[in-house]
Each structure stands twice: as structure tokens, then as C-alpha cells.
Amino acid sequence: MNSTQFTVKLRADSTRKDGTSSLYLYANINGKRKYYSLRKSILPKYWNEEKQEVNSRCDNWHIINRKIKDYISKAEDLTARANLDNRIIKLSDLDYLLRGVQYDHNNIISFIDNDIKLFGETFSPGTIAVYRTLSNKIEAFQKDISFQELTPFWWRQFENTLIAKGSNKNTVFKAFKTLKTFIHRAMEQGVIRENPLISVKVDKAPGQMTFLTLNEINKLEGFYKGFMTKDLKRVLQYFLFACYTGLRYSDIVELKFKHLFEGNYIEKEIFKTKTINRIPLNNRAKALLPKMVLNEKTVFNVYCNQTTNRHLKNIMKLAKINKRISFHCARHTFATITLELSGDIAAVQKVLGHTKIETTQLYAKVLDNQKQAAVDKWNAV
């Protein structure tokens, strides 16, 4: 006879920026314990521990409760069938039942690949590419590596290999940051109890922030109003709109007419932070808006990131602006110009949706460096 316990728990000790906490199925099978993420987060006030359900005041409460019942029902059915067959079950049996695939949980490469298979629909293509890149680099370094084998010495060896193959400081930092993501997920699922690389510190190199000046923006405005090919005009339209609003590429892609209110401001959930932000529209941004159609219709017909950046490169050449930019340059441009014009760092922080003022202060530092560079030119006279 199997000894099992299944219950759903709210991880109240780990709260997201929006105040929500994640729901997990706690499973104890014959003394072996593990947590399974339901991939659902709610505000603690909506959770009823005794009834094991979310109350109806919570958004999508019926969907969440259905998933809770489904997880518990599958786990209990597994136990019942095994007891009838006089068969001992393991956590791996529940893994297969809930996830639909069997894999080696301890193996880092298998763990990453399985995470992509199970939850890839919730990740952006860029995130999936970062995960696969890490998996490939680890596999090239050591084909069979478990979480239990991770040590600070292993990381130093891996880091040296990345550097020897040409990775710069920021590439190494990104690999470490991504690896930490999966270490924490393995801890959540009970694969390991603590972070084996907690003593390792990897520094990020200071990045080069590229932005356009107001004169360059005015130049692009004139270029946009002149003769252009259809593709370039399309890209420049939503790029300039991002320069005037500070929106990221992901939010430009998601922007719908229902997010525009009275033609004066945008209000939408920001893709990266999952928080609601209101962004006032200046006259330049308003002038770039197409004629409103259905609420659910996207405002701009956006190319993929790679195609967008390729067109931006051509636009810079045609406009004779000697800067290598990507779409994210629009956000930097909005921040630096708005800060320079207003001097109000708190207001810029709110528009950009930064949770920490230190992030916004980076733009102030860039402006200070520009001023210093201008003054230093006197030294050469």
C-alpha cells in the first residue's frame, strides 16, 4: 500500500512584484517529497487553503480551480490504481502523469530542454533562444552533468572555456544568470535543496547605451515624411512611436487600439514586468497613430525583431546617421531626451515603468558624461 499526500500550497514566502504568489502541488509519495508548479500566480487574499480553491473575485478563478482539481485528481487516481494493482509508485510516475514526458530531472540539459517543451508557449522566442544557447554550451563542455555536480570549481572551468572560445564578459554573465534561473527552478521542484553556486559572483561589464539626439530624431521625422519604400516607412513609423513613448519592442508588438484611451494616453500591461502602466502621448506620437479600427486590432503591423533591426540599419544609412542601433535604442532615446528636456527623473521613471529609481538614474549619468565630454573639449583648444 502506497503512502501519499497531495495538497496545493501557495508559496507566500516568495512574492512577485505585483504582489502575487505561485501555486504548487505538494506531493509526498512514500516519503519522497516534491513541489509541482501549476504555473499560476494569485494574490494571497484570493486563496482558500482549507477549501483548496481560489475564490471567484480572482481573475480566471474557474480556470485556476479546474487546474487544481485536475492535478489533485490525477495524483489521487495514480495512487488508487497502483494500490489496486499492489504496485509501488515513485515521484517519476507522477512526473510522467502531470508533465506527459519522462526525463532525467537531475541532468541539467534534460531539465532545460523539458522546461522549454512544457512551458515554451509562455516564453518569448528570445527567451527560448537564450535557454537553448545555454543548453548547447553546457553540452559542448560536458555532455552529462547533473545539478548535484555543480560546484564553484565547475563554474570556473566552464567560464574559462567560454572565454577561450571568444565569449565576452557580458556573454559569460548572461550564461551565469540563465543557469541560476534553472538552478532556482530545480530547487522549486525539489531536485536540489540549495543553490550550489551561491558563493559565485559574476560581474556584468558596463554596457554602451546607444541613443539618438533630438536633432537626429528630427532628421528621421523629415525622412519619414519624405519618399521611402513601404517596408522602411512601416518600420520607421513604429520605431519613432517607441522613441516618443519609451515602449519596448515586445509592447509595440502587443499594442492594440483598446490600449489607447481618448487618443491621449496608453494604458496596458507591460510585457516584461506584467504591471499596468499609463503612458501619456505627446503630439508627435499621436501623429504616428494609424486610423483606429477594431479594439482588438494591433496598432502597428510589426515585423519580427531581426527584420526590424535590419531595416533600421538601412534607415540609419539612408538618413546619414552614423550610429549602429537596434530597436531598443528607441527606449534609450525617449529616456535621455525626456530627462534632458524635463529634468524630472521621477516622472521619467514612472513612464518607463522602472521599479527602481537607480535604473532611471543610468540615463542621468549618461547625460552627465555627455556634459563632461563637451566641457573637456576646451582642454584640447
Side-chain angles (χ1 to χ4, degrees), residues 138-149:
I138 293 176
E139 188 170 19
F141 175 68
Q142 184 175 343
K143 288 187 176 181
D144 188 16
I145 172 72
S146 69
F147 284 102
Q148 289 78 7
E149 293 176 276

Side-chain angles (χ1 to χ4, degrees), residues 212-228:
L212 301 176
T213 65
L214 187 55
N215 285 337
E216 288 168 335
I217 286 293
N218 290 335
K219 193 173 185 179
L220 287 179
E221 277 278 7
F223 194 60
Y224 175 74
K225 293 173 182 176
F227 176 77
M228 298 179 66

Side-chain angles (χ1 to χ4, degrees), residues 136-142 157-168 171-172:
N136 292 337
K137 286 179 178 178
I138 293 176
E139 188 170 19
F141 175 68
Q142 184 175 343
Q157 288 180 307
F158 181 55
E159 181 181 33
N160 289 338
T161 300
L162 294 179
I163 294 172
K165 290 184 176 181
S167 294
N168 60 34
T171 301
V172 173

Side-chain angles (χ1 to χ4, degrees), residues 200-218:
V200 177
K201 304 297 179 185
V202 179
D203 295 325
K204 182 180 181 182
Q208 293 295 321
M209 188 182 295
T210 304
F211 61 92
L212 301 176
T213 65
L214 187 55
N215 285 337
E216 288 168 335
I217 286 293
N218 290 335

